[in-house]
Amino acid sequence: MTAGRTADLWWKNAIVYCLDVETFLDGDGDGCGDLRGLIERVDYLAGIGVSCLWLMPFFPSPSRDDGYDITDFYNVDPLLGSLGDFVVFLRTARNRGMRVVIDLVVNHTSDRHPWFRSARASRHSPFRDFYVWRDRPPEEPSAAPVFPDAEKSIWSWDRKARQWYLHHFYAHQPDLNIENPSVRDEIAKIVGFWLELGVDGFRIDAVPFLLEAEGNPGDVPLDPHAFLKHLQAFISRRRGDAVLLGEVNVAPKALRGYFGDTEGDELKMLFNFPVMQAMYLALARQDARPLARSLERLPEIPEDCQWGIFVRNHDELTLDQLGDDERLEVFEAFGPEEDMQLYGRGLRRRLPPMLDGDPQRVRMVYSLLFSLPGTPILFYGEEIGMGENLAVEGRTSVRTPMQWSDEPNAGFSVAKPSRLRRPVVEGRFGPMAINVAEQRRDPQSLLNWMERIIRRRHETPALGWGASRVLASGDHSVFAHRKDWEGTTVVLVHNLASEPRSVRIDVDPPPGHHEVVDLLDQGHAVIAMDAGRLELKLEGYGFRWFRVEEVGGRTTP
Ligand code: GLC
């Protein structure tokens, strides 16, 4: 019996669900989602099998970057509720068996944060050195701005301060100076505050930018790894099993360092951007090789650590790690119109519209998500196949209100549509066609399929814990891989092509007579294997999960 072991490093096999409080459910009818609303939907989330919620920023903010521009790290935006509501939410989530991770956005603050207001007002402000200043901007800046449509440089002139300040993101998001020990103390205080309230960890925003300290003249240069080790040690002292999940979009080779030494004493989890991008290339080409290659290129990671796998997140679907031609191929396949593209590197779409709503293909992609190495991270609405609203500006096209029903405002709010935080999706992927209420009633819906596959995922810990190996399928369109853990072998097969395929997969089990048990929809079908080889017919975009068992061994459901 091995399931008991999995509770220890809980993040290795969680189902994470990311949501923005302001677009989830409006509990007080003002047009903006809030904690009161979210609390009412905690049971819905537990029912899907979500085991960890990741809340996007809910702190006081002028919201010029949808809450990633914070003015008070120790509070809840009054539009969303109070600290009291937050604790009720935490308590409710925990009671239903869910952990809660929150965003830690400390690369920068809003320019309206009291620290920045004070810093720019006087060179003698105790907060002046919380930010990074120069009398003249460097002739060759260390980086280009992250949002090239809005900013020309990472340095801007501040008229009040009469100096230039650093900002990797928008100019209204001045970078904090992490080389300043007082800033690092403040970060620890923020983390300590939320841990004390009961959160289970943090999704750290923009990690490479946070660590890329430029400092002020005279600052002692920061050792970024020492900083991450201290932070991880600090959170472990305060709360043993709290985790740091890092947003680190860098090349595969550079990723390993962020996990720390052999024991993994820095970030416990990293989003896997390279595999996500390669997956889209593989889908566009209907050829599994880019995905297989990207998995093979991944570094080995410490036992305690895990990848965070995702299909979509709240930002543009970035394809910045693909070659220029490859990116164009993905654009061509999944977002050919200019309005669907962003910053020349990404798509501002959700998955189902990219796949023209093909239900079989959508399920195949989520089956991949639940079976690739790592912990799957869902973005709200993915479980029902929500689309985007391209009429909503920039990256927020994918952050529209959750579609609960076909009632006005998708059942998200009783406010007048004009008062909604953001308009709902219209047309084919809008609430009349895609909503929770209807999908609950339909056993064949995506929502009910998600629930079933998530249950299977929980029951198959080898998927999160096992060593992964790509298997030859004899067909470039078919991606086959196996996971091995504690004597269990699981084989996963995905046909990325629209046409049916017949494949022979060399599973290479240990000596003995084996059979394979179908883990998904086909009931409890048992298929014989011949000399360690599995012969299969897959429909277009078909997928299968199998457990390999010795004939006569113990049967599990
Ligand atoms: C991260 C977030 C993004 C935000 C940026 C600045 O990349 O994912 O939404 O705009 O950081 O905080």
Side-chain angles (χ1 to χ4, degrees), residues 28 60 62 74-75 147 233 280 308 316 327 346 353-354 405 425 436 438 455 480 501 524 529 552:
D28 62 7
Y74 299 100
N75 225 323
F147 303 126
Y280 277 95
E316 81 279 8
R327 189 176 318 107
M354 288 195 251
S405 70
V425 173
V436 172
E438 203 169 295
R455 177 178 307 122
R501 291 285 193 262
H524 196 62
M529 272 205 312

Side-chain angles (χ1 to χ4, degrees), residues 22 57-61 63-70 105:
E22 65 176 2
F58 50 81
F59 316 97
S61 159
S63 223
R64 295 178 69 193
D65 183 15
D66 201 21
Y68 282 89
D69 46 332
I70 296 169
V105 189

Side-chain angles (χ1 to χ4, degrees), residues 532-544:
R533 207 171 278 155
L534 197 55
E535 296 205 14
L536 281 182
K537 278 207 176 80
L538 294 157
E539 53 188 309
Y541 305 127
F543 54 92
R544 308 287 290 271

Side-chain angles (χ1 to χ4, degrees), residues 147-152 170 343:
F147 303 126
D149 61 330
E151 304 297 343
K152 286 202 184 63
Y170 293 112
Y343 315 132

Side-chain angles (χ1 to χ4, degrees), residues 65 68 105 108 147 169 173 203 205-206 247 314-315 395 399:
D65 183 15
Y68 282 89
V105 189
H108 46 262
F147 303 126
F169 295 88
Q173 290 167 318
R203 176 259 185 195
D205 191 56
E247 187 201 17
H314 61 291
D315 286 325
R395 291 170 297 155
R399 304 182 198 173

Side-chain angles (χ1 to χ4, degrees), residues 474-518:
D475 187 316
H476 292 321
S477 319
V478 177
F479 177 69
H481 70 299
R482 67 181 263 182
K483 298 266 178 80
D484 293 277
W485 189 61
E486 307 235 313
T488 305
T489 296
V490 183
V491 176
L492 305 309
V493 191
H494 293 82
N495 178 11
L496 307 194
S498 53
E499 300 300 319
R501 291 285 193 262
S502 295
V503 286
R504 293 169 77 192
I505 300 163
D506 218 339
V507 174
D508 186 24
H513 286 293
H514 292 85
E515 56 191 15
V516 289
V517 176
D518 192 312

